[in-house]
Amino acid sequence: MAEPASDHADEAIDRPAIYRTLLLAFLVWAAHFTVSYGAVLVFPGQPAARIITVVAGIGALAVLAWWGFGLPHPRSSLAAGMIGLAAAAVVFGTFPALVG
């Protein structure tokens, strides 16, 4: 049998689920930011911007939670941390539309 290319083949970063989680968390945050920022630019100071931003935030958090609970056990701390970071970014990205 062929030897693995690296002695560290079992490390968490080498698992494809972690790469997919990193990519998904970033994409969900980026989509939420784009929708929220666009809503505030198109509807400045109007309730429609707040509604769109809150709905986009709830949707983004739902996708992150769904993905996080679907991760294989044992969950990687890197993947869980990235989902947590993206969730925090979504929550804090929603505040300017609510306040401003």
Side-chain angles (χ1 to χ4, degrees), residues 31-75:
H32 172 264
F33 180 79
T34 303
V35 169
S36 298
Y37 192 73
V40 171
L41 287 178
V42 173
F43 305 109
Q46 297 179 19
R50 292 182 181 97
I51 292 169
I52 291 169
T53 302
V54 169
V55 169
I58 291 169
L61 291 174
V63 168
L64 289 171
W66 172 74
W67 188 267
F69 287 121
L71 287 174
H73 290 282
R75 290 187 176 103

Side-chain angles (χ1 to χ4, degrees), residues 32 36 40 50 53-54 57 87-100:
H32 172 264
S36 298
V40 171
R50 292 182 181 97
T53 302
V54 169
V90 166
V91 169
F92 286 118
T94 303
F95 284 145
L98 296 176
V99 174

Side-chain angles (χ1 to χ4, degrees), residues 18 24 28 45 47 56 60 69 83:
I18 294 177
L24 177 100
V28 167
F69 287 121
I83 289 175

